[in-house]
Amino acid sequence: MEVTVTQRAEGDVIGVATADGALAGEEGELLEAEGFRADAGAATLLHVDGKRVAVAGLGEEIDADAVRTAAAAVARLTQRIGGTLGWQLDEKLPIALDEQARAVVDGVMLGGYDPGRWKSSHDAVEFERLAFAGPESDLANQPPNELTPAALAERAQEIAAGSPHLTAESGGPERLAELGMGSFGAVAQGSHNPAQLIVLRYDPPGAREDLVLGLVGKAVTFDTGGISIKPALYMEDMKGDMAGGGAVIAGIGAIAELGLPVHVLGIVGATENMPGGYAYRPGDILRAMNGKTIEVVNTDAEGRLVLADVLWYAREQGATHLVDLATLTGGMNTAMGDLYTGVFGNDDAWRDQVVAAGNRSGDHTWPWPMHRRYRRLIDSSFADMKNASVRGQAAPVYAAEFLKEFVGEGPWAHIDMAGPGFLRWPRPDYFPQQGGTGWGVRLIAELARSLT
């Protein structure tokens, strides 16, 4: 979708966000006649002077999220019209005009996203221009028979091809073995679809040489739980267990498209977690790339095993500031639901910078604690640590403490995005469909911008 800025909103549809009673003139009279209330997410289509005007409510708390929700409602209301959407920014709102415009783009792209492109009767019409992009299919919604680890690596190559300063490469099981990635490699060995270590490097001119943003993503393209198999109910949602890796790939693509002057290294561990004759087992002891040993207690705690090697590799390759994104624990979903993610870190200032970037961008985050006394939870009688616990205590913190063993020296933040990364049920805002949300892409771009 092309985005332009004009002095006056023009298009096949004009979008307006309003609080109750804020519209005057003919629009206000029409709204009053039909009893329209400007609740958050409410929308209606008016015909005024030969123009179609889509009016959406902002509700009582007017902020960027309210604007996103209003724009999403307009996108859904007028989705079959297509053409040009003109949006009238309002200087009377308590939000800067540039932030309004950004929120509108977010809302139109996310709220107008249609996950049903695999339907044989799919005929959705999209807006071609937003005056004042149609959204690409979210990677997390692609079926696992299409989005294999190799296919995700190909997508990274396609994104890199669009920028002169971005490169992508990948390697399979032989590369994992060569690097000594015994933890990641164990998760991958039960699948017939080979794992991929995906590496993206963005090196633009004018970037600081003393800072390399390392972005690490878990991309389990389908997670059965392995031998510790998951319940059948909702297992189809496990195609979304690669949402963190997908966000890293798309986020670096966004950084390159924006031309931000910051060195970025992206490392994504892509694999399936499958049962089978070659699958790893509870009781196995694995040796990670950094030499530490891990007792496998539960093969469904596989994401942290993938990230263990990938985090160490990112630091080894020169990342000075690390962030990992992963749909890691059901405990985070239980605690924070589908709106906020939890952020952990070994450096409070870096953790807080990541949290602030997320909240500015609309990818909402919340800081979680880490304390040295949590370390006892991962103790093993047989190895340096174990990958799970039967206690059921502090599961998200447990996972973060495990990952901390593999981050090396320097600032690191861990984002557990199990709730917002893939929605089991639609949300009543700008995510009206279940499935992948693209969560993390906006955070990544905003974080990179804050480092320039």
Side-chain angles (χ1 to χ4, degrees):
M1 180 187 294
E2 178 188 356
V3 179
T4 61
V5 179
T6 60
Q7 289 296 106
R8 179 174 175 274
E10 297 179 352
D12 300 293
V13 180
I14 308 300
V16 180
T18 184
D20 236 0
L23 280 184
E26 187 176 353
E27 291 98 333
E29 293 174 4
L30 289 170
L31 291 176
E32 186 176 357
E34 68 173 50
F36 178 77
R37 291 186 57 81
D39 299 325
T44 189
L45 190 63
L46 306 176
H47 292 266
V48 181
D49 296 331
K51 283 283 188 183
R52 289 175 285 204
V53 179
V55 180
L58 289 169
E60 296 182 359
E61 295 187 32
I62 300 176
D63 55 14
D65 252 6
V67 176
R68 290 186 192 100
T69 302
V74 167
R76 294 193 296 275
L77 181 69
T78 60
Q79 205 161 25
R80 297 291 174 179
I81 297 171
T84 300
L85 171 63
W87 193 275
Q88 189 64 54
L89 300 174
D90 187 350
E91 60 185 9
K92 298 184 181 67
L93 294 180
I95 310 166
L97 294 181
D98 58 343
E99 287 300 310
Q100 287 184 46
R102 175 176 174 173
V104 169
V105 172
D106 285 349
V108 169
M109 292 181 68
L110 297 170
Y113 171 68
D114 180 3
R117 72 179 183 90
W118 290 273
K119 295 181 180 180
S120 56
S121 59
H122 185 260
D123 57 355
V125 177
E126 297 175 344
F127 287 108
E128 299 168 357
R129 184 161 61 91
L130 176 58
F132 58 10
E136 293 188 7
S137 298
D138 186 77
L139 288 169
N141 282 332
Q142 289 192 237
N145 59 318
E146 292 184 11
L147 192 71
T148 61
L152 186 61
E154 289 173 6
R155 180 63 183 137
Q157 294 277 3
E158 291 169 6
I159 290 174
S163 170
H165 306 299
L166 181 60
T167 61
E169 60 184 27
S170 61
E174 297 82 5
R175 180 59 174 156
L176 303 187
E178 178 185 330
L179 291 170
M181 290 186 170
S183 184
F184 179 7
V187 176
Q189 67 193 33
S191 174
H192 291 292
N193 287 312
Q196 293 288 310
L197 177 67
I198 303 169
V199 181
L200 297 104
R201 301 178 191 273
Y202 174 62
D203 292 305
R208 289 174 50 184
E209 294 303 322
D210 62 338
L211 189 148
V212 177
L213 174 60
L215 300 172
V216 170
K218 168 194 172 185
V220 178
T221 58
F222 193 74
D223 181 18
T224 67
I227 288 177
S228 307
I229 198 162
K230 293 178 179 292
L233 184 64
Y234 296 122
M235 194 191 283
E236 66 273 16
D237 288 354
M238 289 302 101
K239 66 182 182 180
D241 209 18
M242 43 61 62
V248 167
I249 292 170
I252 293 178
I255 291 170
E257 189 168 342
L258 291 168
L260 300 179
V262 57
H263 291 295
V264 184
L265 171 68
I267 312 287
V268 173
T271 183
E272 295 178 332
N273 183 24
M274 302 289 285
Y278 291 105
Y280 76 125
R281 297 150 293 222
D284 284 359
I285 293 181
L286 315 177
R287 187 175 297 277
M289 188 181 178
N290 69 347
K292 293 185 178 181
T293 56
I294 304 162
E295 178 193 3
V296 176
V297 174
N298 187 335
T299 64
D300 194 26
E302 86 297 332
R304 65 202 67 177
L305 297 176
V306 172
L307 290 172
D309 281 337
V310 178
L311 279 164
W312 185 259
Y313 185 65
R315 188 73 82 186
E316 187 182 71
Q317 291 296 299
T320 61
H321 293 68
L322 278 175
V323 181
D324 74 74
L325 295 90
T327 50
L328 208 60
T329 68
M332 183 59 71
N333 194 5
T334 301
M336 306 291 282
D338 60 11
L339 183 59
Y340 274 78
T341 65
V343 184
F344 303 81
N346 63 355
D347 179 286
D348 288 352
W350 177 238
R351 179 204 62 198
D352 292 346
Q353 189 169 352
V354 172
V355 168
N359 291 330
R360 284 197 306 271
S361 72
D363 282 340
H364 298 301
T365 58
W366 197 263
W368 274 54
M370 295 188 74
H371 191 282
R372 65 184 181 277
R373 291 182 182 166
Y374 280 121
R375 174 60 178 78
R376 76 189 191 282
L377 296 177
I378 67 173
D379 286 345
S380 166
S381 299
F382 306 101
D384 294 328
M385 69 199 79
K386 57 187 178 183
N387 78 324
S389 171
V390 297
R391 291 186 181 188
Q393 291 182 323
V397 186
Y398 185 109
E401 282 292 334
F402 181 93
L403 295 178
K404 186 180 176 182
E405 298 288 316
F406 303 93
V407 301
E409 298 295 325
W412 155 76
H414 159 58
I415 302 176
D416 190 336
M417 52 185 281
F422 192 93
L423 301 184
R424 181 161 290 170
W425 302 284
R427 271 178 19 193
D429 53 14
Y430 45 92
F431 287 118
Q433 302 284 353
Q434 69 183 92
T437 62
W439 195 98
V441 177
R442 293 178 295 172
L443 180 151
I444 286 170
E446 182 62 28
L447 179 62
R449 189 192 302 277
S450 75
L451 297 174
T452 60

